[in-house]
Amino acid sequence: MTSAAPTFTGTAAEAWRERDVPARPESYLQAARRRFMQNRVGLAALGVLGMLVLSAILAPWLTTHDPTVGVPAERLLPIGSAGHVLGTDEQGRDMLTRLLYGGRLSLIAGLVPVLIATSIGTTLGAVAGYLGGWVAAVIMRTMDMFYAFPTVLLAIAVSASLGPGLKNVIIAMTIVYIAPIARVAEAATRKVVVAEFIEAARLTGASTVRILFTQVLANIFSPIFVYASGLVGLSIVIAASLSFLGLGVAPPAAEWGFMLNALRGTIYVNPWVAALPGLFIFAVSISFNMLADAIRDALDVKG
Amino acid sequence: MAVFAGRRPRTLPAEAPTLEAAERDTPLLQVRDLVTQFPTRNGWLTAVNEVSYDLHAGKVLGILGESGSGKSAMLRTILGLQPRSARISGEVVLNGRDLISMSARERSEIRGSWVSMVFQDPMTALDPVFTVEQQLVETIRRHSEMSRSEAVERALELLTLVQIPSPETRLKAYPFELSGGMRQRVVIAMALVSNPSLLLADEPTTALDVTVQARVLDLFRDLKDRLGMGVIFVTHDLSVAAEIADEIAVMYAGRIVEKGTVAEIVRSPRHPYTRGLIEANVRPGQSERPEAIKGSPPNLAALPPGCSFAPRCPVAEERCWERIPDLTATASTGATGSTHLVRCVQASSVLEPDRRN
Amino acid sequence: MAIVILRRAGMAIPTLLGVTLMIWMLLSILPGDPLVGLLAPDATQADRDRLAHEMGLDRPLPVRYVAWLGETLTGDLGFSPFRQREVVELIQNAWRNTAILAGASAVFGLTVGMLLGTLAGVHRGTPIDRVVTGSAIVGLSVPSFWIAILLLIVFSAQLKWLPAGGIGQLSEGIVPFLKHLIMPVLAGSLTTIAITARVTRASVVETFQSEFVDLLRAKGLREWQVLLHVGKNAISPVLTTSGLQVGYLLGGSVLIETIFSWPGLGQLVFNAIAQRDLAVVQATTLVIAVTFVLLNLAVDLLQATFDPRIKRTA
């Protein structure tokens, strides 16, 4: 804001017009990336998750004890014991070892159902939303049936009828998540289908399948990704719940929910060791939930 | 006033001067150097910038401007509706009391009694889950000591005043059961509950159908004449402003850039922006399409160093870019009480009426 | 209003039928031999076929479903071969106990959640908001069965203030009854508090941004009056989530009741799963699911009383 007389005509105007305006506005994904990188909570959650996942993968190299065979003489050692930093369990197995190994099954049981259910649910929802009519009615009314059950109960019922085992836990939870993801996908697709670019694709003679897989999927990605990432935290807890109830892995395998149940009887003897597996479930779950919140904010999706 | 004799709200502060008692020359409302700023990631954004004007009782001031010109922000500042994070300075003196320095509690006493507001979109301005009667009665009882039945009677009277047919049944209706025009009349009725001395209208006809627009505008004029209120009428539509206002202030990028009587603004606009607005307006008998002002409305976060309009101005020169021009009386106003003000360094030369075209 | 009730109730009937079909399918068609626990280890194929015939398992599937549905509707939920009792009998007592626990958890969880959510919504952007929002994400992530165990460690094992499990009878006085209730309610309702607080906060914040709030303030209404208006407008999503929450409490009761030895439906299911007593699993799941559907119906109707648009247009 100079009040002095200018020496060159048009300098002020030129200077203003050439002020640091970005040459090209950033794309949606660039903006999302920038917003995510500015979210300290989200980054911290990602860091914690990275560490937990890595230590689960590298468990055989990070630990010195056998995860399944214990030393009976070293049963129920408290936290901080020599050679057993996090103590030992009721069979004298090293807790740190079992917790790291346990992460493998717990993370798989929590993540895999969300991944499978997301692909199936998205397909169902996108088909229903795109085609509408009786196809949509059949698909979506069937999905509604699943809503008549509380999530945990449905998972328990399916899992119970399939019989115990990690594979069955994964199947049961997949069934549980298909319906809500299909709903999100259907609503998002209906919003997209009326958009002009879909009409344009149709006019150029693209087939239904092609349009579904290119145009529609690309445009319903954000809401589904946000929803599914929000499910992971819950999924970890439900998977652990099923194991806790004895529906998951069989002994002597290590899995957090199962370990928590096994140590339940020792809370009067060695309380804080008994609480450890739950702490790990909680740490993973809250990290995923915080990460999901950060993703939602970054992608700028409501809900 | 006769219509409402004896209905002056009892909660009105005793020192409030009545309109009759006020000296004729003392304005109802004096706005001085009003500034409203909002915090943003990149510092303070100035939405209302050193706005000053007077409004006399029974007069209508039209505020004309595009979206983002600060006209609505200015109304909301007067009423104290800005978020707590906003930074506000200046004076808004109504009936001798400054609304800006007043406590929130005092201001809530004054809202709805001395000063009321009518909003742009009647579809969203009413609470959807309460009946018209509930919403009117709570307002009436907030500002008077009427019993419930007295208040209902008063509500009926107000609906009649704003010319709502069969008011008894409308009273029991929920907002979603009324048409847009009807809802806006309800909003207006709500604003008139305590016979305010100042009415703020934020584009009250913009969201309405054209035919309904005209009727609501008629209602405003009629009410202003009967109730003797001062009105600030914000609009982006020059023809609406010309129809209802006594004076017009044109706002651009938070500042008043020109102010004068309707005749002065419409017949001899001095600011290039005002001229643009008038040329963009369809006139009867005009054959070619009206020409809109080039460029986009100002980005308040990135204003040029000088005159805010310079980037879009057809006659801008280097000096326009250097400093913000003052709001000064035009030469043609003459020595007697200058009313026509303009914020343009070229107002006296380039834009003399005889030099147009 | 009567029409709204009838219409909504009518809409619940296909849902309920779907629920029965799904539960029946889950436990009748899915792999897993229903006879496995019933036969002696040395049973022959002939014994097997006879038992299957007695139980009607050799009939076509649709016939079996209709027959089962008919029995269910007349209150015959089957017989538990493991406990040698009618399933209805088993369920009646357990249902009452679960209702006490889930009801108490719902009342506590929803009330606290709504209060916290409103508090955060009204003071959005302030430290109060951040504390509530942060606590909510903790509550959302924490496994209820872990909290249950932590509570047991602290209040039962270490401090010895509260009993580790079981249900107190009201006839023995209110204090022991409540002492038994405290930990299960706290552990079970934590998620409810967290979700309700999040939904309430979001709804209150969104409602506060409505233009009608400006008009209410412009009318000079006091802030508490404005809050009443906002509350009535913001309640709808909170009610929806409340219905779901109570359902989740019923589902989650399996974990909580097992840990605290609370003799309710959840514990019944847990034991039945371990014994592969599918008749009990089926019946209990059915009772909980039907309760869930009816609860959501009730919430739907409650919503209509808050929102005139539903009341008058339906």
Side-chain angles (χ1 to χ4, degrees):
Chain A
M1 232 184 278
T2 49
S3 54
T7 42
F8 300 109
T9 305
T11 45
E14 289 307 312
W16 182 75
R17 290 203 165 96
E18 283 162 15
R19 70 198 187 281
D20 55 336
V21 181
R24 212 154 43 102
E26 59 185 346
S27 75
Y28 171 66
L29 285 179
Q30 280 171 327
R33 208 184 103 90
R34 177 181 50 77
R35 281 192 292 262
F36 184 82
M37 295 311 281
Q38 288 167 348
N39 190 330
R40 266 175 296 165
V41 175
L43 288 175
L46 194 62
V48 170
L49 279 177
M51 267 168 50
L52 283 165
V53 170
L54 261 180
S55 61
I57 294 173
L58 301 177
W61 294 277
L62 291 176
T63 58
T64 48
H65 295 81
D66 188 302
T68 53
V69 184
V71 179
E74 296 182 352
R75 290 167 62 225
L76 296 173
L77 294 178
I79 294 176
S81 303
H84 300 286
V85 186
L86 294 181
T88 57
D89 71 359
E90 78 288 356
Q91 296 185 24
R93 295 172 292 201
D94 180 54
M95 277 304 283
L96 179 64
T97 306
R98 275 179 75 73
L99 285 168
L100 294 190
Y101 272 96
R104 302 175 142 200
L105 296 183
S106 294
L107 288 168
I108 288 173
L111 277 169
V112 173
V114 176
L115 291 177
I116 306 176
T118 302
S119 36
I120 300 177
T122 303
T123 313
L124 287 174
V127 168
Y130 186 78
L131 295 180
W134 67 267
V135 179
V138 169
I139 294 177
M140 296 321 288
R141 291 299 80 73
T142 311
M143 294 298 123
D144 284 351
M145 296 304 165
F146 288 87
Y147 272 90
F149 296 88
T151 320
V152 177
L153 183 72
L154 186 58
I156 290 172
V158 177
S159 202
S161 54
L162 290 173
L166 186 69
K167 193 184 76 187
N168 288 343
V169 163
I170 291 179
I171 296 176
M173 289 172 58
T174 306
I175 293 176
V176 170
Y177 299 142
I178 290 176
I181 290 182
R183 251 195 202 181
V184 173
E186 195 243 7
T189 309
R190 265 193 286 125
K191 239 182 250 168
V192 172
V193 167
V194 292
E196 277 172 21
F197 57 89
I198 298 284
E199 192 55 36
R202 233 181 245 158
L203 289 175
T204 58
S207 73
T208 299
V209 174
R210 205 188 141 73
I211 293 176
L212 263 176
F213 273 95
T214 55
Q215 309 285 344
V216 174
L217 278 187
N219 285 284
I220 62 177
F221 170 79
S222 286
I224 293 173
F225 187 62
V226 166
Y227 186 83
S229 61
L231 269 184
V232 179
L234 177 72
S235 184
I236 296 280
V237 171
I238 293 182
S241 312
L242 295 180
S243 289
F244 184 86
L245 293 175
L247 290 166
V249 298
E255 196 279 343
W256 294 336
F258 180 75
M259 289 163 68
L260 193 57
N261 193 29
L263 289 167
R264 190 151 62 95
T266 71
I267 58 166
Y268 293 91
V269 192
N270 201 5
W272 303 111
V273 170
L276 280 175
L279 183 65
F280 275 70
I281 303 172
F282 171 62
V284 173
S285 163
I286 196 169
S287 302
F288 270 118
N289 281 332
M290 285 175 162
L291 183 64
D293 274 8
I295 290 174
R296 184 197 58 204
D297 293 344
L299 290 175
D300 202 15
V301 174
K302 250 190 98 186
Chain B
M1 279 313 270
V3 190
F4 296 95
R7 289 235 190 250
R8 253 336 206 158
R10 263 161 275 177
T11 52
L12 249 191
E15 73 270 30
T18 59
L19 291 179
E20 287 84 357
E23 259 184 83
R24 184 166 297 204
D25 286 349
T26 310
L28 168 72
L29 176 75
Q30 289 171 294
V31 177
R32 290 290 172 272
D33 302 322
L34 189 63
V35 177
T36 307
Q37 292 175 305
F38 300 110
T40 70
R41 207 176 276 266
N42 309 312
W44 292 93
L45 184 145
T46 307
V48 179
N49 206 339
E50 296 183 357
V51 165
S52 302
Y53 54 81
D54 289 346
L55 178 71
H56 287 265
K59 295 289 184 193
V60 178
L61 172 67
I63 308 273
L64 191 62
E66 298 166 300
S67 54
S69 61
K71 56 196 196 312
S72 292
M74 195 259 298
L75 284 195
R76 301 168 73 83
T77 306
I78 292 179
L79 211 52
L81 290 181
Q82 297 294 15
R84 240 172 264 165
S85 58
R87 195 159 73 182
I88 292 161
S89 64
E91 281 180 15
V92 174
V93 181
L94 175 67
N95 288 338
R97 296 190 56 191
D98 181 16
L99 301 184
I100 301 296
S101 57
M102 199 174 260
S103 74
R105 193 176 188 84
E106 282 178 292
R107 204 183 292 126
S108 95
E109 300 282 337
I110 287 197
R111 278 189 210 143
S113 59
W114 290 13
V115 48
S116 289
M117 183 152 167
V118 176
F119 289 79
Q120 174 168 357
D121 189 354
M123 296 301 181
T124 55
L126 291 167
D127 184 338
V129 302
F130 286 84
T131 61
V132 168
E133 175 177 316
Q134 288 167 324
Q135 300 190 48
L136 271 167
V137 164
E138 70 179 352
T139 321
I140 294 163
R141 298 193 63 186
R142 170 70 176 91
H143 298 292
S144 71
E145 261 127 56
M146 286 187 202
S147 70
R148 183 159 289 279
S149 58
E150 281 176 312
V152 172
E153 205 168 300
R154 169 84 173 122
L156 259 178
E157 192 181 297
L158 283 163
L159 289 191
T160 314
L161 180 73
V162 295
Q163 297 158 23
I164 287 185
S166 55
E168 293 86 353
T169 52
R170 305 288 185 219
L171 216 46
K172 302 290 175 204
Y174 286 96
F176 72 93
E177 297 170 307
L178 302 177
S179 69
M182 214 58 95
R183 287 191 217 187
Q184 195 59 305
R185 287 171 196 267
V186 171
V187 175
I188 295 169
M190 222 169 275
L192 300 178
V193 157
S194 296
N195 189 20
S197 42
L198 174 63
L199 184 65
L200 308 176
D202 187 4
E203 306 228 23
T205 59
T206 307
L208 304 176
D209 290 344
V210 183
T211 47
V212 184
Q213 255 183 34
R215 269 181 271 144
V216 170
L217 217 51
D218 284 343
L219 176 66
F220 259 97
R221 232 190 328 245
D222 176 53
L223 291 172
K224 176 206 65 165
D225 292 343
R226 281 163 70 183
L227 308 179
M229 319 172 274
V231 178
I232 299 181
F233 196 105
V234 159
T235 178
H236 69 277
D237 187 336
L238 178 75
S239 53
V240 168
E243 205 173 318
I244 189 133
D246 299 296
E247 270 195 308
I248 293 180
V250 180
M251 282 184 78
Y252 190 85
R255 288 193 173 85
I256 291 181
V257 293
E258 186 162 7
K259 185 171 158 293
T261 61
V262 170
E264 284 163 344
I265 296 291
V266 173
R267 294 217 194 98
S268 52
R270 296 305 177 89
H271 198 284
Y273 176 63
T274 317
R275 273 189 64 192
L277 282 180
I278 288 168
E279 274 161 18
N281 220 38
V282 194
R283 274 164 297 199
Q286 193 181 34
S287 52
E288 72 264 51
R289 258 180 91 234
E291 206 173 315
I293 302 170
K294 273 186 294 191
S296 43
N299 174 3
L300 292 178
L303 288 179
C307 171
S308 305
F309 187 61
R312 298 168 75 186
C313 183
V315 294
E317 298 173 354
E318 183 63 15
R319 54 181 173 147
C320 301
W321 286 88
E322 281 155 12
R323 54 178 294 274
I324 298 162
D326 296 325
L327 193 61
T328 46
T330 59
S332 61
T333 320
T336 55
S338 50
T339 56
H340 193 175
L341 305 171
V342 63
R343 190 188 291 278
C344 178
V345 287
Q346 309 195 26
S348 50
S349 57
V350 180
L351 291 164
E352 281 297 332
D354 54 323
R355 292 194 51 180
R356 290 172 56 193
N357 304 326
Chain C
M1 196 62 200
I3 300 169
V4 181
I5 294 177
L6 279 177
R7 183 177 294 190
R8 293 294 160 107
M11 270 162 28
I13 289 173
T15 315
L16 285 171
L17 275 178
V19 166
T20 61
L21 183 64
M22 268 187 58
I23 289 176
W24 177 79
M25 284 201 313
L26 272 180
L27 298 144
S28 304
I29 311 181
L30 284 174
D33 188 345
L35 301 179
V36 74
L38 301 179
L39 288 165
D42 57 344
T44 60
Q45 186 61 33
D47 294 333
R48 209 183 160 77
D49 291 345
R50 191 160 27 86
L51 186 61
H53 182 75
E54 268 170 32
M55 292 175 71
L57 295 178
D58 53 348
R59 291 174 294 170
L61 288 175
V63 176
R64 278 168 60 189
Y65 169 65
V66 173
W68 174 81
L69 184 62
E71 284 164 12
T72 303
L73 288 178
T74 53
D76 178 4
L77 294 176
F79 184 78
S80 167
F82 293 92
R83 302 183 182 220
Q84 292 296 314
R85 297 260 305 269
E86 285 293 326
V87 174
V88 177
E89 272 178 58
L90 290 172
I91 284 186
Q92 270 169 349
N93 267 331
W95 197 91
R96 192 191 63 110
N97 290 339
T98 294
I100 292 174
L101 180 54
S105 306
V107 170
F108 178 73
L110 294 174
T111 313
V112 175
M114 284 190 216
L115 285 177
L116 289 178
T118 310
L119 193 69
V122 170
H123 299 280
R124 63 194 166 287
T126 65
I128 298 177
D129 184 16
R130 280 191 285 277
V131 167
V132 172
T133 317
S135 313
I137 200 163
V138 171
L140 199 67
S141 314
V142 100
S144 64
F145 49 95
W146 183 52
I147 286 296
I149 288 175
L150 287 181
L151 288 172
L152 277 173
I153 290 175
V154 175
F155 294 104
S156 197
Q158 307 273 319
L159 297 170
K160 302 194 191 326
W161 287 354
L162 297 169
I167 185 169
Q169 291 306 324
L170 266 177
S171 53
E172 293 158 18
I174 189 81
V175 176
F177 176 78
L178 289 179
K179 273 189 158 178
H180 281 92
L181 203 54
I182 290 177
M183 288 197 293
V185 164
L186 277 180
S189 59
L190 204 63
T191 318
T192 309
I193 294 175
I195 296 182
T196 311
R198 264 165 85 109
V199 172
T200 307
R201 179 192 175 275
S203 186
V204 166
V205 166
E206 195 187 328
T207 309
F208 260 113
Q209 284 159 356
S210 313
E211 205 181 25
F212 76 78
V213 174
D214 284 335
L215 178 61
L216 294 173
R217 295 206 173 115
K219 297 200 295 192
L221 293 195
R222 296 175 206 279
E223 215 41 42
W224 64 264
Q225 291 175 301
V226 175
L227 193 60
L228 282 183
H229 277 266
V230 169
K232 194 174 173 188
N233 276 277
I235 195 101
S236 184
V238 179
L239 283 176
T240 307
T241 191
S242 300
L244 297 175
Q245 291 313 308
V246 181
Y248 297 153
L249 282 171
L250 286 172
S253 67
V254 180
L255 291 153
I256 299 296
E257 290 181 2
T258 305
I259 295 170
F260 292 105
S261 319
W262 188 271
L265 289 174
Q267 205 191 27
L268 193 62
V269 172
F270 177 76
N271 292 331
I273 290 173
Q275 298 159 334
R276 285 199 70 68
D277 186 350
L278 290 189
V280 171
V281 177
Q282 195 174 43
T284 318
T285 314
L286 181 72
V287 167
I288 294 181
V290 168
T291 310
F292 186 48
V293 172
L294 294 180
L295 254 168
N296 281 312
L297 175 68
V299 166
D300 239 20
L301 297 175
L302 195 62
Q303 245 162 352
T305 63
F306 280 97
D307 193 336
R309 283 163 294 191
I310 303 175
K311 198 161 37 184
R312 293 218 180 165
T313 51

